[in-house]
Amino acid sequence: MSGAPLLAEIAAIIRETGPIGIDRYMALCLGHPVHGYYRTRDPLGRAGDFTTAPEISQMFGELIGLWIASVWMAMGRPERAILAELGPGRGTLMADALRALRSAAPDAAFALHLVETSPALRARQEEALAGFSPTWHEGPQTLPDGPAIVVANEFFDCLPVRQFERTPRGWCERLVGLSEDGTLTIGLAPEPDRSLAKEGPVGVVTTLAGPAADTMRGLAGRIRAQGGGLLAIDYGHARPGFGDTLQAVAGHAFTDPLAAPGEADLTVHVDFAALARAARAGGAVVHGPVDQRDFLLALGLTLRAERLKRAATPVQSEAVDAAVARLTDTGRGGMGRLFKVLAAAAPGLGPLPGF
Ligand code: SAH
């Protein structure tokens, strides 16, 4: 059975120490050194499990390149700033961004740093960005000092979260346990967690994204002290709300998050209100969140599409239109409203494009 090695290992952990938190489950499924989802494969693209904005169209990365150019100018054109990406996937976004950056800010020189845990994806990034001699990091903590521009597309949604369900007794943590037939099942911790202060009706689920908030707070702190800005793009909600958004995707379709650990991508909707709080707690100025649609249109998506279409065949032209629609549509299936964009900037950087 696919996913069996990790399932057996998780079952053994649960038998030995009891049910595990959703955070531990996510960390094992995505990051287990041997069987973790991101450790073992390149999940992106048509043949993979899901696709992302930079894989849909070069326009996405190019517009982010223009954003980087503006921020670099607002920073006072530092001589060799750090350009960092968190979870760069195939390196497509950064390759497109650097190409656009070269014409928008020809005198900008960056030291390129990539935060990536997946060996399979590091190899793809090395191919895509060979000319830029990137340095890889396991986490953002080891990024070198200095003014920095940081980009993260669909990164914060991979970081582990804890979930709690409201019961008449209080907030009880949702835990992954074993049912009698040996399959994984979600249950509740018997005792409520008294540290959660918020109110909510019985039956609702709330999510605590500790690692995402810690990562944001840490990066905001360095940006406040050393200058620069961070751009986070992800699917999520601008207002805090209740609901279980843990989801698994394999082969471009939703699957049961417990069915085949390590074989499906496992993510949660990003709580942008919590990310914004963490950025402010780190001392950064927060811009947004805004809908991806508004961000891309403000950066000039329409003009970019027209320019591409001028040199295109009718078939290519249709593909450009389809990509614009996919990136900006606000209905179901579109990314325009589901995806939000937030920036955390050094105080005094001024208004940022797209917000
Ligand atoms: N930004 C890319 C890829 C998104 S998929 C795109 O838009 O196409 C998520 C990315 O984050 C992958 O590169 C994955 O390997 C990486 N990743 C997931 N968890 C991570 C972690 N804890 N630390 C560093 N990178 C991580």
Side-chain angles (χ1 to χ4, degrees), residues 97-158:
L98 288 166
R99 200 175 53 247
L101 197 54
R102 209 166 30 225
S103 42
D107 46 344
F110 288 98
L112 184 60
H113 291 267
L114 306 175
V115 174
E116 176 60 69
T117 44
S118 160
L121 289 174
R122 279 188 183 197
R124 296 298 302 260
Q125 293 155 20
E126 195 163 8
E127 277 170 39
L129 299 165
F132 300 94
S133 331
T135 307
W136 278 272
H137 301 261
E138 283 290 306
Q141 307 79 7
T142 52
L143 291 173
D145 283 344
I149 299 177
V150 183
V151 176
N153 187 57
E154 294 211 44
F155 170 75
F156 285 98
D157 63 4
C158 302

Side-chain angles (χ1 to χ4, degrees), residues 35 58-59 101 109 114 122 163 187 190 248 274 280 282 286 298:
H35 308 300
Q58 68 186 76
M59 294 182 286
L101 197 54
L114 306 175
R122 279 188 183 197
Q163 289 187 323
R280 289 195 188 98
V286 171

Side-chain angles (χ1 to χ4, degrees), residues 19-265:
I20 58 174
I22 301 289
D23 53 347
R24 177 120 189 253
Y25 181 70
M26 270 182 93
L28 284 165
C29 288
L30 298 179
H32 183 284
V34 182
H35 308 300
Y37 178 74
Y38 280 111
R39 297 285 170 153
T40 52
R41 75 199 74 211
D42 168 6
L44 291 153
R46 195 165 297 177
D49 288 323
F50 61 95
T51 194
T52 57
E55 300 299 332
I56 289 170
S57 169
Q58 68 186 76
M59 294 182 286
F60 186 81
E62 288 170 355
L63 292 173
I64 289 181
L66 298 185
W67 189 87
I68 294 169
S70 307
V71 172
W72 176 76
M73 288 172 193
M75 288 161 71
R77 303 170 174 258
E79 215 161 83
R80 197 166 159 77
I82 291 154
L83 179 56
E85 185 172 0
L86 314 179
R90 292 177 164 176
T92 309
L93 186 160
M94 190 51 79
D96 294 336
L98 288 166
R99 200 175 53 247
L101 197 54
R102 209 166 30 225
S103 42
D107 46 344
F110 288 98
L112 184 60
H113 291 267
L114 306 175
V115 174
E116 176 60 69
T117 44
S118 160
L121 289 174
R122 279 188 183 197
R124 296 298 302 260
Q125 293 155 20
E126 195 163 8
E127 277 170 39
L129 299 165
F132 300 94
S133 331
T135 307
W136 278 272
H137 301 261
E138 283 290 306
Q141 307 79 7
T142 52
L143 291 173
D145 283 344
I149 299 177
V150 183
V151 176
N153 187 57
E154 294 211 44
F155 170 75
F156 285 98
D157 63 4
C158 302
L159 301 185
V161 299
R162 295 172 73 191
Q163 289 187 323
F164 298 84
E165 188 173 316
R166 185 75 194 193
T167 73
R169 309 187 296 286
W171 292 104
C172 292
E173 185 161 7
R174 298 180 86 214
L175 302 173
V176 178
L178 270 179
S179 57
E180 275 170 20
D181 63 3
T183 55
L184 299 175
T185 176
I186 289 191
L188 293 184
E191 289 302 318
D193 188 315
R194 307 257 174 232
S195 64
L196 259 78
K198 67 163 86 172
E199 284 307 314
V202 166
V204 297
V205 171
T206 192
T207 297
L208 272 192
D214 292 348
T215 301
M216 178 57 98
R217 196 180 322 102
L219 287 165
R222 70 159 288 154
I223 282 169
R224 175 192 54 76
Q226 303 176 49
L230 176 151
L231 189 69
I233 307 166
D234 231 305
Y235 56 118
H237 41 274
R239 287 158 209 272
F242 296 117
D244 170 21
T245 65
L246 182 69
Q247 65 182 37
V249 167
H252 298 270
F254 290 108
T255 69
D256 175 357
L258 302 180
E263 294 293 316
D265 189 32

Side-chain angles (χ1 to χ4, degrees), residues 226-309:
Q226 303 176 49
L230 176 151
L231 189 69
I233 307 166
D234 231 305
Y235 56 118
H237 41 274
R239 287 158 209 272
F242 296 117
D244 170 21
T245 65
L246 182 69
Q247 65 182 37
V249 167
H252 298 270
F254 290 108
T255 69
D256 175 357
L258 302 180
E263 294 293 316
D265 189 32
L266 210 53
T267 57
V268 283
H269 281 210
V270 170
D271 178 350
F272 275 91
L275 267 194
R277 265 199 312 279
R280 289 195 188 98
V285 174
V286 171
H287 302 256
V290 297
D291 290 345
Q292 172 168 297
R293 172 190 177 81
D294 298 335
F295 179 77
L296 294 179
L297 291 176
L299 281 172
L301 178 66
T302 310
L303 196 69
R304 198 111 205 137
E306 274 166 17
R307 220 178 276 160
L308 267 182
K309 279 160 58 175

